[in-house]
Amino acid sequence: MHSPFDLEALRAEFPAAQRMLYLDTAHQAPLATSIRAALHRFYDEGHVSAGPKPVWLQRVEAVRARLAAFIGAAPEEIAFTKNTSEGLNIAANAIPLVSGDNVLMVHGDHPNNAYAFLNLRRKGVETRFVPLTAGTADIGTFAPHVDARTRAISISHVTFHAGHRFDVEALGRFCRDRGLLLVVDAMQSVGVLPIDVKRMDAAFVAAGCHKGLLVPQGMGFLYVDAALQGLEPAYLAAASLAEPPADFIARPDRMELRHGAGRFEIGNFNLPDLHALSAALDLIERVGVGNIERHVLALGDRLIAALDRLGIRLIGPRDRAQRAHIYVLDLPGEGWLDYLTASHVRVSPERDGIRVSFGLFNTAADVDRLVEILARRIAMPERELAAG
């Protein structure tokens, strides 16, 4: 299998992937050497100079602009958050929903997407869960459930539990034509698939940075479409204001909000992770996110073919257009997870089996090694399985 980039050199950036069979990027990306170095540079500056804060804040805005360009947004449309859940909660509370309104989402999507809207029950807002039809979610999935009080659709771009890749661009057009707002959870897609938030016609896009964007946990972002006017934040701090008080005395008569997504930022930034994100964008852009997409799909092709030979069912989509880097194997977590862990394979148990997820550093040899390990247990006599 030919890689579209220098995979050997890239793999050297990820020591964890050399120490174990790391197939768990959908949970947490291993730390790359260049990103670790960026964190060290930040800590060294704080250690030596107690923190050049004005310089750090200039870098925050530089990273904001880079991240915005990476997803097709303007810098003022990006707010930095702690994680995807915070971004989704900001979106849910910013949409002017009132009692009797409803929001649609896919049944079984990530619970933190659901809870952000279920929490609005106290306001009389209904969250409607729509079942998947034919294994995917498209316009036909949602259209029968839209009524005069539907205000938004919230959906993952790529599902965490089976790797469904939804056509959010078509869904965005559907929402635009009907005056609905589209909220997208891009946690499992950003950094893995090319994203253009304008082509999505999304009102909000939320994601954390610790998976495809390769940053340690603790930072995320929220895109807010600049065309949305008058959105009110649920929380307020000086950082949310257009003119924060220079003397740090609150003035009730001067509470005009910042223009754009910045009104949703309420305090100090995660400066270490912002430095890490700058280095991560260097790495990802050097490889090319389109190349990453092609690479993980090719690894998926190889894995699916091997699963077919082994007689292991794939839970989730097989069609390239409907999948990305996540593949769930119909293997019971009990027994299989312990076996894989003992074989130095890092995967995640999922509700329907064992989740394998590829990163840009994985290779065809990784797939072949996993297949060999799976085949070894399948071939074990029942007495050995019972003993182990």
Side-chain angles (χ1 to χ4, degrees), residues 283-302:
L283 190 157
I284 293 167
E285 289 173 346
R286 186 169 71 246
V287 174
V289 70
N291 285 331
I292 295 171
E293 176 190 23
R294 285 184 285 274
H295 179 62
V296 297
L297 286 174
L299 293 174
D301 292 341
R302 193 179 189 94

Side-chain angles (χ1 to χ4, degrees), residues 175-188:
C175 289
R176 179 193 61 204
D177 293 344
R178 285 158 180 78
L180 309 177
L181 298 180
L182 178 64
V183 181
V184 178
D185 174 351
M187 179 72 262
Q188 292 293 357

Side-chain angles (χ1 to χ4, degrees), residues 186-343:
M187 179 72 262
Q188 292 293 357
S189 58
V190 67
V192 178
L193 307 177
I195 288 179
D196 185 327
V197 293
K198 298 303 181 184
R199 291 186 61 184
M200 284 182 181
D201 274 315
F204 302 90
V205 177
C209 297
H210 63 278
K211 302 182 193 290
L213 288 179
L214 309 177
V215 173
Q217 292 191 19
M219 194 181 79
F221 70 87
L222 176 68
Y223 159 80
V224 183
D225 185 1
L228 298 174
Q229 300 295 319
L231 296 178
E232 297 284 343
Y235 299 97
L236 194 67
S240 314
L241 302 179
E243 296 181 15
D247 57 4
F248 293 96
I249 297 175
R251 291 177 172 78
D253 59 337
R254 299 183 66 178
M255 293 178 58
E256 181 182 355
L257 297 170
R258 283 175 63 182
H259 173 70
R263 65 183 56 196
F264 298 109
E265 293 177 342
I266 61 170
N268 291 323
F269 298 103
N270 182 341
L271 291 171
D273 272 6
L274 278 156
H275 284 72
L277 180 57
S278 180
L281 290 171
D282 286 342
L283 190 157
I284 293 167
E285 289 173 346
R286 186 169 71 246
V287 174
V289 70
N291 285 331
I292 295 171
E293 176 190 23
R294 285 184 285 274
H295 179 62
V296 297
L297 286 174
L299 293 174
D301 292 341
R302 193 179 189 94
L303 176 62
I304 291 171
L307 295 178
D308 288 346
R309 292 194 300 272
L310 291 174
I312 297 174
R313 187 172 73 93
L314 178 71
I315 299 169
R318 298 174 67 93
D319 188 330
R320 263 179 165 244
Q322 296 179 357
R323 58 180 167 89
H325 64 304
I326 295 173
Y327 301 86
V328 177
L329 285 54
D330 186 14
L331 299 172
E334 184 179 352
W336 275 102
L337 184 61
D338 290 343
Y339 169 74
L340 291 169
T341 301
S343 301

Side-chain angles (χ1 to χ4, degrees), residues 6-191:
D6 187 346
L7 183 53
E8 184 176 348
L10 179 66
R11 190 173 173 85
E13 281 261 11
F14 294 89
Q18 301 169 54
R19 297 182 60 247
M20 69 184 84
L21 183 48
Y22 197 95
L23 301 169
D24 206 18
T25 295
H27 172 70
Q28 165 76 60
L31 190 61
T33 300
S34 58
I35 297 170
R36 179 173 180 264
L39 288 166
H40 281 181
R41 286 192 296 272
F42 168 77
Y43 290 124
D44 285 345
E45 285 181 335
H47 187 224
V48 172
S49 65
K53 190 169 183 178
V55 174
W56 286 346
L57 293 180
Q58 288 174 5
R59 292 176 189 162
V60 169
E61 297 312 311
V63 176
R64 190 193 306 273
R66 288 190 66 191
L67 178 62
F70 186 71
I71 63 170
E76 61 269 20
E77 295 178 305
I78 299 296
F80 288 116
T81 62
K82 294 193 298 293
N83 48 47
T84 316
S85 301
E86 184 177 51
L88 292 170
N89 272 272
I90 290 171
N93 284 277
I95 298 171
L97 298 167
V98 298
S99 181
D101 289 345
N102 65 76
V103 176
L104 305 182
M105 62 180 55
V106 172
H107 174 72
D109 206 342
H110 199 288
N112 287 338
N113 187 354
Y115 288 135
F117 289 95
L118 285 170
N119 192 40
L120 300 180
R121 286 189 301 185
R122 69 187 191 279
K123 296 182 178 181
V125 176
E126 179 188 3
T127 302
R128 295 180 177 175
F129 294 100
V130 177
L132 287 180
T133 55
T136 189
D138 54 21
I139 293 171
T141 306
F142 291 99
H145 302 274
V146 173
D147 62 24
R149 297 303 299 272
T150 304
R151 299 289 179 255
I153 293 175
S154 186
I155 192 170
S156 291
H157 189 186
V158 175
T159 65
F160 77 102
H161 62 279
H164 302 92
R165 175 180 179 175
F166 298 137
D167 187 351
V168 291
E169 293 182 10
L171 196 55
R173 293 190 294 272
F174 171 81
C175 289
R176 179 193 61 204
D177 293 344
R178 285 158 180 78
L180 309 177
L181 298 180
L182 178 64
V183 181
V184 178
D185 174 351
M187 179 72 262
Q188 292 293 357
S189 58
V190 67

